[in-house]
Amino acid sequence: MKRRITFRFLEAYILIGLVGFLLITLVGSRMVESVLEEDISSGLYQDAHNVAENQAVKSNLSSSNLSRIQSNLYMLSQYPSVIVWIINNEGEIIVSTRTDIAADEPIRIEDFDPSDWGSSYYQIGDFYGFFPEKYLSVLAPITEDMTPKGYIALHFRMSDLYQKRGAILFIIQILFLAVYVLASVLLLIYWHYVHNPLREITRGVGEFANGNLAYKIPASSEDEIGYLANSLNYMAEKLNRNGEYQRQFISNISHDFRSPLTSIKGYVDAMLDGVIPADSQEKYLKIIAYEAGRLEKLTEGLLTLNELDIHKRLLKIETFDINEVIKHTAAAFEGDCTKRKIVLELVLSGRELYARADMEQIQQVLYNLLNNAVKFSRNDSTIIIETTEKNDKIFVSVKDHGIGIPKQSLHRIWERFYKTDISRGKDQTGTGLGLSIVKEIINAHGQNINVISTEGVGTEFIFTLEKAE
């Protein structure tokens, strides 16, 4: 494809050059000739008119004075090579600047008829068969008292006009060729800035198609071609990251599914084989139920994330009291907090604080954050849930005094299935999807969520909501 486009461009360039040269040679030649005809004929007619109006010419047309007129005709024309005639009313050449016609031996022009000229002041031809080649001839009457006494005829050889035309056309052709050669620089520009980058882009696309997403297309320019190359590199990088994420996702989900399934299968097989006696089966059935619960939670989390990915959160935006939602959500954790002597402290801004968001999804965010806070808090500690408002934003904070998150793990906590090493011992039933769901929901609302954590001290999550008017 790239070769075809390149050669088409080259063929078009050569074709334009050939057609342009032919047009200049053919059409330009005719145009230059036409301009020269008009210019020369106009000048000749003006000369002829001046000669015809010359009083010396009018008063010396008698045969005795013709030689005197002939000696002065050379000085009356601005064209030295022009033949000047005086023709009498009988159609005889009585005076000529050519030496082959003597004043005392006039030459008769057969079929000479000034009325044939009509309104045209010049003609091109052999002048009634007199010349063996083409001449441009003009004719002006010599009049006295409105009566024609003769005619002034000026003849310019067309071969001289063609010579002038050829000289002018040659200059135009040289200029065209010079411009055409200079225009070939465009080919070099095209080759350097378009062809070569497109070839690199094509090669890169081929590498991407073959699965080599780590390949980088060279992009040194900042024009449209460079932007395209950078866009393709960015696309390949994203695809490569997505591929890595998918492989990690499959690895993590396989691990999280394999553990409970292995446990369930092992105990079921043991009971079927009779290894576990009937009076002990209740204990292991409870273990199987516990592992099945883990699988259920994992499946529900995956379904929630799948819904977020597919529907991009079709949110049901409404106005609600965020303080009231926090109170209801916190109440769901009173039992676990009471057992572990964890205090839930609510620091709410005003009795009511209205937000505009999807209430159910924000409740899910609060539930996941509180669940993590309770799970990783120490016994006899405090969890603070606080709301503040600034301008048109509501800030919701969930702060615990637990094990904290290592600094090197902070940027990965939003990844699906990710668990820090220090949290695995305390998170036996977790799926590693809670914070991913939180992030997706907050992003779908066009809001932000941040985390501040110090290992061994505690963690604080802060997210924003749109404040209702």
Side-chain angles (χ1 to χ4, degrees):
M1 179 64 70
K2 66 180 186 298
R3 290 190 60 191
R4 185 177 302 172
I5 292 175
T6 301
F7 281 102
R8 281 183 178 177
F9 187 86
L10 183 60
E11 290 168 0
Y13 178 76
I14 295 173
L15 181 62
I16 289 172
L18 293 175
V19 171
F21 191 80
L22 289 175
L23 284 175
I24 288 177
T25 302
L26 300 177
V27 179
S29 175
R30 186 68 190 95
M31 293 175 67
V32 171
E33 181 179 335
S34 177
V35 171
L36 288 175
E37 279 183 17
E38 291 292 331
D39 182 62
I40 293 174
S41 62
S42 176
L44 289 176
Y45 184 78
Q46 186 64 43
D47 283 349
H49 180 72
N50 291 338
V51 173
E53 292 295 319
N54 189 281
Q55 192 60 39
V57 173
K58 289 183 178 182
S59 57
N60 291 289
L61 283 179
S62 62
S63 58
S64 60
N65 296 322
L66 291 179
S67 57
R68 182 178 178 183
I69 296 175
Q70 187 177 28
S71 63
N72 293 326
L73 285 181
Y74 294 101
M75 297 180 294
L76 296 175
S77 176
Q78 62 176 335
Y79 296 96
S81 60
V82 168
I83 299 172
V84 183
W85 289 349
I86 296 180
I87 305 172
N88 61 21
N89 288 333
E90 284 73 32
E92 295 176 335
I93 305 172
I94 57 175
V95 178
S96 173
T97 54
R98 279 180 33 164
T99 57
D100 58 344
I101 300 177
D104 55 349
E105 295 180 1
I107 297 176
R108 184 175 182 81
I109 301 173
E110 298 294 334
D111 302 323
F112 176 71
D113 186 2
S115 63
D116 292 342
W117 291 62
S119 60
S120 176
Y121 62 88
Y122 78 95
Q123 289 183 356
I124 296 175
D126 57 5
F127 202 77
Y128 299 98
F130 186 87
F131 295 114
E133 59 180 309
K134 284 185 177 182
Y135 275 80
L136 187 154
S137 304
V138 298
L139 192 69
I142 303 172
T143 61
E144 189 172 7
D145 298 329
M146 302 298 292
T147 302
K149 296 180 64 177
Y151 299 92
I152 297 294
L154 275 69
H155 307 285
F156 185 88
R157 191 163 49 190
M158 287 298 292
S159 59
D160 293 340
L161 185 146
Y162 296 149
Q163 188 175 0
K164 288 177 178 289
R165 178 196 65 186
I168 295 173
L169 188 62
F170 178 74
I171 294 174
I172 295 175
Q173 289 172 333
I174 291 298
L175 289 175
F176 172 80
L177 291 175
V179 172
Y180 186 73
V181 171
L182 288 176
S184 63
V185 175
L186 292 173
L187 286 176
L188 298 178
I189 294 174
Y190 165 80
W191 196 269
H192 180 72
Y193 290 102
V194 179
H195 176 78
N196 287 339
L198 283 179
R199 183 173 60 185
E200 293 294 338
I201 289 174
T202 303
R203 180 184 301 168
V205 170
E207 293 289 337
F208 299 156
N210 292 328
N212 184 14
L213 297 176
Y215 182 83
K216 292 293 182 183
I217 300 174
S220 57
S221 64
E222 296 182 359
D223 54 13
E224 290 82 353
I225 299 294
Y227 179 78
L228 175 60
N230 287 323
S231 297
L232 290 172
N233 285 334
Y234 177 75
M235 178 197 71
E237 184 180 355
K238 293 290 288 184
L239 289 174
N240 195 28
R241 287 181 181 177
N242 288 339
E244 290 293 333
Y245 168 75
Q246 288 177 357
R247 287 187 288 272
Q248 184 179 2
F249 177 85
I250 292 172
S251 175
N252 288 337
I253 196 173
S254 298
H255 176 270
D256 285 348
F257 268 98
R258 185 185 297 114
S259 296
L261 285 174
T262 301
S263 179
I264 291 172
K265 184 177 183 300
Y267 289 126
V268 170
D269 288 342
M271 284 187 285
L272 290 175
D273 294 339
V275 176
I276 299 176
D279 56 351
S280 301
Q281 289 182 1
E282 182 178 357
K283 171 186 174 182
Y284 295 102
L285 286 173
K286 288 181 179 179
I287 297 174
I288 292 172
Y290 173 79
E291 297 293 350
R294 286 182 60 194
L295 287 175
E296 183 180 18
K297 289 177 62 177
L298 183 61
T299 304
E300 287 177 354
L302 290 172
L303 290 174
T304 300
L305 284 174
N306 184 62
E307 181 184 355
L308 292 171
D309 288 339
I310 294 175
H311 299 290
K312 300 300 181 185
R313 295 311 308 160
L314 298 178
L315 302 175
K316 181 183 177 182
I317 303 298
E318 57 184 319
T319 300
F320 62 93
D321 183 3
I322 185 63
N323 289 345
E324 189 66 23
V325 172
I326 291 173
K327 292 175 184 177
H328 285 297
T329 307
F333 293 89
E334 286 185 0
D336 290 339
C337 290
T338 301
K339 292 178 182 178
R340 298 175 53 194
K341 298 181 180 180
I342 297 174
V343 177
L344 286 177
E345 183 179 344
L346 307 184
V347 183
L348 307 178
S349 177
R351 294 185 59 185
E352 297 175 339
L353 182 57
Y354 288 93
R356 277 189 56 78
D358 187 320
M359 187 179 69
E360 291 185 3
Q361 300 307 321
I362 297 304
Q363 192 169 19
Q364 177 75 48
V365 169
L366 288 168
Y367 183 88
N368 288 359
L369 293 179
L370 273 173
N371 184 55
N372 272 5
V374 171
K375 188 183 301 181
F376 298 114
S377 287
R378 296 184 179 87
N379 295 338
D380 298 311
S381 63
T382 302
I383 296 175
I384 303 172
I385 308 171
E386 182 179 4
T387 59
T388 56
E389 51 185 312
K390 184 177 181 181
N391 298 329
D392 59 343
K393 295 285 187 181
I394 295 174
F395 292 82
V396 181
S397 166
V398 178
K399 182 178 182 180
D400 66 60
H401 297 83
I403 62 175
I405 303 171
K407 184 177 180 180
Q408 66 272 18
S409 299
L410 278 175
H411 68 286
R412 298 193 60 191
I413 61 173
W414 311 111
E415 296 178 12
R416 300 176 185 184
F417 297 105
Y418 180 76
K419 295 181 182 180
T420 63
D421 292 336
I422 61 174
S423 70
R424 292 186 181 275
K426 290 182 172 292
D427 192 14
Q428 299 295 331
T429 61
T431 62
L433 297 175
L435 291 179
S436 297
I437 294 173
V438 166
K439 184 72 170 177
E440 293 283 352
I441 292 174
I442 296 300
N443 285 345
H445 280 79
Q447 301 298 321
N448 299 309
I449 183 167
N450 294 309
V451 59
I452 303 170
S453 185
T454 302
E455 190 174 354
V457 176
T459 303
E460 180 180 15
F461 287 91
I462 305 170
F463 65 90
T464 61
L465 292 174
E466 179 186 352
K467 182 182 177 183
E469 296 182 1

